[in-house]
Amino acid sequence: REDDSYKDSILYTNYNTHLKDYQEKKEVLVEIKKNTEVLECHYTTGNWSILIKIICLDNEHLMHLLNTKIQAIEGVSRTE
């Protein structure tokens, strides 16, 4: 985005460990990518399942995105 009022953030998220099937993981990514704030979304190895690069106006916007959109996705167990 060209508007300097937006700030980039990196969000790490885990989905529930029972989501072993590739199709289930893909569905979580599809839901995450529906949010216009999401710039990039990648599978990772290690402590986190997905790395998401997002853009928000401020901390309040970030918290709204996390609480009402990302964490509301079925299968997302936590974010950091």
Side-chain angles (χ1 to χ4, degrees):
R1 302 189 190 212
E2 294 181 22
D3 185 344
D4 287 338
S5 62
Y6 285 86
K7 306 295 181 216
D8 287 0
S9 298
I10 301 295
L11 171 67
Y12 298 93
T13 184
N14 267 351
Y15 43 77
N16 291 332
T17 55
H18 73 275
L19 294 176
K20 303 286 186 199
D21 181 78
Y22 173 76
Q23 185 61 33
E24 290 180 66
K25 293 176 184 177
K26 186 176 175 183
E27 290 170 9
V28 169
L29 281 181
V30 167
E31 290 300 313
I32 288 171
K33 289 179 180 180
K34 286 181 181 178
N35 295 287
T36 58
E37 296 91 347
V38 174
L39 301 177
E40 298 176 25
C41 194
H42 306 278
Y43 288 122
T44 66
T45 59
N47 292 332
W48 296 98
S49 304
I50 300 172
L51 178 135
I52 306 167
K53 184 176 181 181
I54 59 174
I55 192 162
C56 294
L57 284 168
D58 52 28
N59 199 42
E60 186 176 327
H61 183 194
L62 172 64
M63 294 310 296
H64 177 76
L65 174 68
L66 290 176
N67 293 329
T68 65
K69 296 181 180 181
I70 302 295
Q71 293 173 345
I73 296 170
E74 185 174 345
V76 172
S77 60
R78 64 188 176 123
T79 59
E80 184 175 306

